Amino acid sequence: MRLYLIGAGVSARTHVAAAAKLGEPVELRVADPNAETLAGFLEAFPEATGYASAEEMLAAEQAREDDVAIVATPPRFHFAPAVAAARSGRHVLCEKPLAMTVDEAEEMLRVATEHGVLFGSCSTRFRGLPHNEAVKAVMATGVLGDLVHLDFVTRSPRSRAGIEYQPSSRWFLDSRMSGGGVVMDWGPYDMSTLFDLLQPTRVEMVDAWMAKTRTGADPEGVVHDTESTAGAALRVTRQDGSVLRVNYQRANATHGEEFARAELEGTLAALRWTPFDSHQPVQLRTDAEGEPREETVEPPERDDLSIFDRPLVHFVAALRGRPSLAAIGPIAVDEFRCVRGVYDTARTGRPTVVEVRR
Ligand SMILES: NC(=O)c1ccc[n+]([C@@H]2O[C@H](COP(=O)([O-])OP(=O)(O)OC[C@H]3O[C@@H](n4cnc5c(N)ncnc54)[C@H](O)[C@@H]3O)[C@@H](O)[C@H]2O)c1
């Protein structure tokens, strides 16, 4: 397989490590207009062929049926190279968030469909982790009864991309480059995980809020207009027609309490786990003759994939026709529509509805 990396920054390097887990030989190509970044990448991975632009790289050779291009640039620069890669006949796996706007994401999908190539999202990084699989397995038994409510909250006091995390990439803080703050950065994982767990047919952002937290570490002299704390009330319709209310929160800078918690409450039992942390237990609370009873759910065995390996491994599994947790085609865009829906509802005060295409 040939892998075409567009962007040679931090995330591109993680995809090289992922390629080594595919179980098949992979030839590497990489393009980055930043000569220093490209040189650093080629020093780390001398087996790769480097180019100064995506256009030059994509035009350098005829596409093969299983060529994969990964768009690993800041969100502002996802659209043009993704469309160029699809037009060149390569399958496209795009970093999260898919695009700056829903219109861009829909157009990327349209072009990929027109050219008969797959269009997938890297939002699937946390899919397949043992705790998520344990939650899905318990849900499938029906032991929870009718699902009533889900709390899905991850709040960190100081972990802003561009400040506490990866301060060299200040673009995260500039909405013209990133499209937004913590909801654009982490919302794709939240929505992708919720889609995997709940398999929604319709998601309604009933209400939403967001704010930029102010701290003494806020950098001076750079554009910093992105939110760092946010939440939404979601109404999720599932395939059986049932409706589940979700309290969604995400913060990478909050003066409130640090906590990460998911609790899925049903009429017969409730499940509690820590979103995105597969080392924490999954707890099932049921009733034993009128008294609450708690037990720990045994998760399935851990595989050898890191979270960074997963998007490419899921995508190539789908490409090769194997069972896969990839988000490809309309579903990838619908997840992203939910991410943007949080912004739209927070801004307008009006609900946003996403009918999920399956
Ligand atoms: N850093 C992480 O831990 C991480 C993890 C997962 C996902 N991501 C996502 O990956 C994407 C890239 O983030 P990053 O952290 O790697 O950024 P980065 O700043 O480390 O690298 C981005 C690179 O893209 C290059 N670039 C810009 N425009 C380009 C173009 N048109 N063609 C080719 N290269 C171009 C830049 O020169 C830069 O070297 C973002 O969407 C981000 O959300 C990042």
Side-chain angles (χ1 to χ4, degrees), residues 27-278:
E27 291 177 35
L28 284 180
R29 318 275 190 263
V30 62
D32 199 307
N34 183 319
E36 203 181 318
T37 305
L38 183 63
F41 185 99
L42 292 171
E43 202 178 301
F45 307 105
E47 69 278 22
T49 308
Y51 297 87
S53 78
E55 295 71 22
E56 191 192 332
M57 175 173 75
L58 295 168
E61 53 203 349
Q62 201 68 27
R64 286 190 204 142
E65 228 172 61
D66 59 353
D67 282 353
V68 173
I70 300 187
V71 179
T73 51
R76 162 90 176 73
F77 305 113
H78 285 182
F79 177 76
V83 163
R87 289 208 170 109
S88 80
R90 271 105 188 174
H91 303 287
V92 180
L93 174 60
C94 187
E95 264 303 345
K96 43 56 64 174
L98 271 187
M100 297 289 276
T101 64
V102 168
D103 285 352
E104 277 188 359
E106 294 286 9
E107 179 63 8
M108 290 151 97
L109 172 63
R110 194 194 64 72
V111 173
T113 308
E114 184 180 287
H115 289 269
V117 296
L118 300 180
F119 176 57
S121 170
C122 286
S123 57
T124 57
R125 260 189 188 96
F126 296 89
R127 288 190 179 187
L129 287 172
H131 70 297
N132 285 334
E133 295 305 305
V135 169
K136 281 155 65 179
V138 172
M139 288 173 70
T141 65
V143 72
L144 298 176
D146 296 333
L147 301 185
V148 180
H149 185 264
L150 172 64
D151 250 339
F152 200 73
V153 179
T154 310
R155 290 154 39 112
S156 147
R158 301 284 187 278
S159 62
R160 291 165 291 186
I163 303 180
E164 289 86 12
Y165 174 76
Q166 212 174 307
S168 56
S169 297
R170 293 290 202 203
W171 61 260
F172 279 104
L173 304 173
D174 180 350
S175 65
R176 290 168 308 180
M177 293 287 283
S178 59
V182 70
V183 176
M184 279 293 260
D185 195 25
W186 278 93
Y189 298 135
D190 293 322
M191 294 304 171
S192 195
T193 302
L194 290 177
F195 269 51
D196 185 35
L197 298 180
L198 304 177
Q199 302 287 323
T201 57
R202 183 176 204 261
V203 180
E204 189 177 354
M205 273 54 67
V206 181
D207 189 21
W209 55 270
M210 54 182 60
K212 179 182 144 189
T213 311
R214 293 166 64 181
T215 79
D218 297 2
E220 306 260 325
V222 297
V223 180
H224 179 196
D225 62 354
T226 49
E227 83 286 352
S228 45
T229 182
L234 311 182
R235 196 154 56 199
V236 174
T237 307
R238 306 187 63 222
Q239 274 161 341
D240 61 3
S242 64
V243 175
L244 177 71
R245 265 73 176 183
V246 180
N247 163 37
Y248 166 58
Q249 281 185 54
R250 177 56 89 166
N252 58 12
T254 173
H255 298 300
E257 188 190 356
E258 171 174 19
F259 69 93
R261 175 178 191 267
E263 188 184 66
L264 180 57
E265 191 181 339
T267 50
L268 293 175
L271 261 182
R272 208 172 62 244
W273 70 99
T274 306
F276 306 98
D277 187 347
S278 61

Side-chain angles (χ1 to χ4, degrees), residues 260-337:
R261 175 178 191 267
E263 188 184 66
L264 180 57
E265 191 181 339
T267 50
L268 293 175
L271 261 182
R272 208 172 62 244
W273 70 99
T274 306
F276 306 98
D277 187 347
S278 61
H279 295 282
Q280 301 304 319
V282 176
Q283 305 281 17
L284 178 66
R285 267 170 87 89
T286 52
D287 178 272
E289 294 173 21
E291 294 298 324
R293 185 181 63 189
E294 183 153 314
E295 60 190 276
T296 302
V297 178
E298 196 57 46
E301 211 172 307
R302 187 176 293 275
D303 57 29
D304 70 341
L305 300 177
S306 79
I307 56 166
F308 293 106
D309 297 331
R310 291 175 190 275
L312 183 61
V313 169
H314 295 327
F315 188 78
V316 171
L319 178 64
R320 299 282 184 229
R322 297 194 297 268
S324 166
L325 291 168
I328 288 175
I331 203 87
V333 176
D334 289 344
E335 288 177 356
F336 180 67
R337 285 164 70 211

